């Protein structure tokens, strides 16, 4: 990695650490949302550096759909055991059992959209006044509209037309009772920045990100993994292919890509040459032109 890349990464790291420390200074009870994906793992790594040698002063919260890849949950539990971090789990299954949400039915059913209720319930139950996470502006057009500090009203909703200015990195975390903020410490990072930082910092990741053999099938141009959570159409045939995942989420809507990238160096080369966006394989983003923005307005991260 050349000196320019290292300087660029150090600038991004410093900006993110500054943001995380601002959260700790301005809010009484923050939390870091943790999906087990590379971006939330990088955020936790940055938080660790921000407060070292003291422990990270806030818990991690996982929004558990119940339809996770086993590798993701195994990695999450190993990380918690290794670091001693506090973990809070907000369960979509509990929201279903309590009648707060209705599970989708049919071939394309997914619990991904049901995460919003579990997230807002988790924030309310634990009285979190700020939820940080690994969303980046380069991922998706709705996320490109976000500030670092993003205000949410008492219903957890987001108004993209009513955001506060952030001149000279001055963040305004003032809020009324019942309101909270979402904060995005790695807003200015790109997918390539993330992978170069992971390589430089030697950050461990779930095996899903690396090339492996898995049974998959194609649906609407997306390769989906065969799992007990997905009902196959009669016309869909599973094949054993060499694949990896660029993003990790609910197994029902997270698409894979055909890939032989077995190392971080290989992935960096692959990302540098691809013409497909990182979330191009996410079936949940394809439900409508404004799918992500609609979910975010309702309280989705």
């Amino acid at each position: 990695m050349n000196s320019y890349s290292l300087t660029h990464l150090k600038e991004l790291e410093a900006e993110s650490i500054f943001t995380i420390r601002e959260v700790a200074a301005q809010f009484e009870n923050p939390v870091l949302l943790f999906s087990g994906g590379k971006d939330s793992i990088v955020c936790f790594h940055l938080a660790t550096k921000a407060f070292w040698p003291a422990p990270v002063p806030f818990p991690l919260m996982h929004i558990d759909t119940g339809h996770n890849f086993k590798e993701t949950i195994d990695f999450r539990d190993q990380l918690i055991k290794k670091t001693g971090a506090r973990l809070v789990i907000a369960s979509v299954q509990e929201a279903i059992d309590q009648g707060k949400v209705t599970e989708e039915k049919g071939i394309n059913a997914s619990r991904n959209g049901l995460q919003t209720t579990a997230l807002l319930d988790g924030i309310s139950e634990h009285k979190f006044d700020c939820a940080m996470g690994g969303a980046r502006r380069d991922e998706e057009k709705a996320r490109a509209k976000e500030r670092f500090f993003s205000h949410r009203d008492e219903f957890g909703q987001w108004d993209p037309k009513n955001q506060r200015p952030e001149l000279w990195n001055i963040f305004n975390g003032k809020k009324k009772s019942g309101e909270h903020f979402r904060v995005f410490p790695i807003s200015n990072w790109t997918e390539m920045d993330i992978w170069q930082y992971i390589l430089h910092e030697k950050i461990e990741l779930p095996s899903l990100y690396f090339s492996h053999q898995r049974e998959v099938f194609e649906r609407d141009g997306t390769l989906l993994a065969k799992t007990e959570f997905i009902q196959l159409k009669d016309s869909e045939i599973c094949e054993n292919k060499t694949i990896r995942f660029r993003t990790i989420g609910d197994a029902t809507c997270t698409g894979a890509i055909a890939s032989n990238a077995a190392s971080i160096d290989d992935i960096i080369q692959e990302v540098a040459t691809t013409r497909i966006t990182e979330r191009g394989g996410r079936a949940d983003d394809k439900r409508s032109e404004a799918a992500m923005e609609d979910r975010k307005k309702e309280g989705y991260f």
Side-chain angles (χ1 to χ4, degrees):
M1 193 178 297
N2 60 43
S3 58
Y4 170 77
S5 295
L6 288 175
T7 301
H8 175 61
L9 292 178
K10 285 190 175 297
E11 289 175 351
L12 288 172
E13 179 190 70
E15 178 182 63
S16 298
I17 287 175
F18 170 77
T19 304
I20 293 169
R21 287 173 175 166
E22 277 292 298
V23 167
Q26 292 197 39
F27 297 98
E28 295 181 2
N29 190 25
V31 66
L32 174 62
L33 298 183
F34 187 82
S35 68
K38 66 183 187 309
D39 299 317
S40 61
I41 292 169
V42 166
C43 280
F44 179 61
H45 181 82
L46 290 164
T48 301
K49 295 188 80 167
F51 302 105
W52 183 263
V56 174
F58 40 74
L60 281 60
M61 182 163 70
H62 180 214
I63 311 303
D64 183 2
T65 67
H67 290 172
N68 304 288
F69 291 103
K70 182 179 183 299
E71 294 92 331
T72 307
I73 300 302
D74 288 345
F75 181 89
R76 179 201 70 185
D77 293 344
Q78 290 167 9
L79 181 70
I80 295 300
K81 183 178 180 180
K82 179 181 177 181
T83 63
R86 292 176 289 155
L87 177 67
V88 173
I89 297 176
S91 170
V92 170
Q93 184 62 57
E94 286 186 9
I96 294 171
D97 294 343
Q98 294 168 5
K100 294 180 177 180
V101 294
T102 302
E103 187 153 22
E104 293 182 4
K105 305 295 182 184
I107 292 292
N108 294 310
S110 173
R111 288 185 174 183
N112 194 62
L114 306 184
Q115 292 182 83
T116 299
T117 298
L119 169 61
L120 295 176
D121 282 353
I123 290 173
S124 175
E125 177 185 350
H126 298 280
K127 296 181 171 56
F128 294 129
D129 54 358
C130 174
M132 289 177 285
R136 307 187 324 267
R137 291 188 181 124
D138 77 319
E139 286 182 277
E140 201 273 339
K141 57 189 177 184
R143 285 181 168 165
K145 297 179 181 181
E146 289 277 22
R147 301 284 198 265
F148 277 92
F149 276 38
S150 184
H151 175 263
R152 296 298 194 271
D153 65 20
E154 64 270 29
F155 302 106
Q157 296 178 333
W158 172 63
D159 181 0
K161 296 181 180 179
N162 184 23
Q163 298 198 71
R164 298 172 181 179
E166 293 181 344
L167 305 176
W168 307 289
N169 281 353
I170 297 176
F171 302 135
N172 181 357
K174 291 184 178 180
K175 57 179 179 54
K176 297 177 182 178
S177 177
E179 298 177 343
H180 71 276
F181 273 76
R182 308 287 172 84
V183 172
F184 308 97
I186 59 171
S187 287
N188 287 335
W189 297 52
T190 66
E191 183 185 10
M192 179 63 80
D193 295 329
I194 291 291
W195 282 111
Q196 289 181 334
Y197 188 73
I198 288 169
L199 176 65
H200 181 254
E201 296 287 304
K202 299 180 175 60
I203 299 172
E204 295 182 5
L205 295 174
S207 59
L208 291 168
Y209 281 112
F210 303 98
S211 174
H212 60 284
Q213 291 282 313
R214 187 179 290 266
E215 274 196 289
V216 295
F217 64 95
E218 185 172 336
R219 177 177 293 176
D220 299 327
T222 299
L223 281 179
L224 294 172
K226 179 185 178 183
T227 70
E228 66 271 31
F229 312 125
I230 302 179
Q231 179 183 348
L232 270 66
K233 301 176 183 178
D234 293 338
S235 60
E236 292 173 334
I237 300 173
C238 289
E239 298 180 88
N240 204 37
K241 292 188 175 183
T242 304
I243 60 97
R244 75 176 190 88
F245 294 88
R246 285 176 74 184
T247 66
I248 294 178
D250 189 281
T252 60
C253 60
T254 302
I257 60 169
S259 173
N260 291 310
S263 69
I264 295 176
D265 283 306
D266 292 340
I267 291 172
I268 288 172
Q269 290 299 317
E270 185 178 85
V271 170
T273 58
T274 188
R275 297 175 63 86
I276 300 172
T277 63
E278 182 180 3
R279 293 184 66 94
R282 292 295 293 264
D284 50 324
D285 288 354
K286 299 178 181 179
R287 292 195 171 193
S288 74
E289 281 294 316
M292 173 64 81
E293 182 159 335
D294 291 341
R295 294 200 305 274
K296 284 175 67 64
K297 286 179 180 178
E298 294 171 357
Y300 186 77
F301 196 77

